[in-house]
Amino acid sequence: MQPTLPLDGACRCGATRIRITALPLMTAACHCTGCQKMTGSAYSLTAMVPAEGFEVIQGEPVIGGMHDPQQRHHFCPRCMSWMFTRFDEMPFVNVRPTMFDDASWFAPFVETMTREKLAWAETPARHRFEGFPPVERYEALMAEFVQAQAGPGA
């Protein structure tokens, strides 16, 4: 299922608001222990949105998490909700889909870092990777995701 665009969202307290105007390139669940610690859950959820189709429309997010200069996790400064992550030299933003006002469209297409997953944690993802997918697989995975989102006969 594809989201209806534009799609707006907010942090838990509503002080920071975001919008996407481009469909996600792919969706994922990451099982790494870093994501487990940042979410307080078994995994983090991600919608990979083209950078030009993402914007903060209210508030000024702050950098949190590990403060890695190549991987910047953005949080609401008031409630500290982890909202999105930007990466150097990547043409997309990883947005936490549960921030959107309507997240009913979301399902993870891939699972990453399954070697670190909690034994009971399962998702309906089509593809599973012990680490991250090899770089050469991303193009095919994204194409398959777009096709799956378009539905049969598209």
Side-chain angles (χ1 to χ4, degrees), residues 87-102:
F87 302 91
D88 283 352
E89 301 179 25
M90 294 292 186
F92 57 84
V93 177
N94 279 352
V95 183
R96 309 282 76 79
T98 51
M99 297 298 129
F100 295 122
D101 298 337
D102 175 15

Side-chain angles (χ1 to χ4, degrees), residues 35-142:
C35 283
Q36 290 174 23
K37 289 175 188 253
M38 282 189 22
T39 63
S41 185
Y43 45 78
S44 70
L45 300 176
T46 293
M48 297 167 63
V49 177
E52 66 277 3
F54 172 82
E55 64 181 313
V56 175
I57 57 174
Q58 177 183 304
E60 304 262 344
V62 297
I63 304 293
M66 293 181 57
H67 296 265
D68 183 332
Q70 296 175 351
Q71 178 177 291
R72 294 170 311 284
H73 302 295
H74 294 260
F75 293 76
C76 169
R78 185 166 181 260
C79 67
M80 299 309 290
S81 296
W82 178 24
M83 299 185 72
F84 60 95
T85 301
R86 293 186 188 270
F87 302 91
D88 283 352
E89 301 179 25
M90 294 292 186
F92 57 84
V93 177
N94 279 352
V95 183
R96 309 282 76 79
T98 51
M99 297 298 129
F100 295 122
D101 298 337
D102 175 15
S104 63
W105 58 272
F106 180 85
F109 186 70
V110 299
E111 284 183 297
T112 62
M113 300 302 293
T114 60
R115 70 174 162 257
E116 296 180 16
K117 81 181 199 75
L118 298 173
W120 53 265
E122 300 295 330
T123 79
R126 287 189 187 186
H127 300 278
R128 289 168 178 77
F129 297 92
E130 286 190 353
F132 290 106
V135 172
E136 61 273 9
R137 292 277 316 270
Y138 274 92
E139 187 175 340
L141 287 167
M142 288 179 181

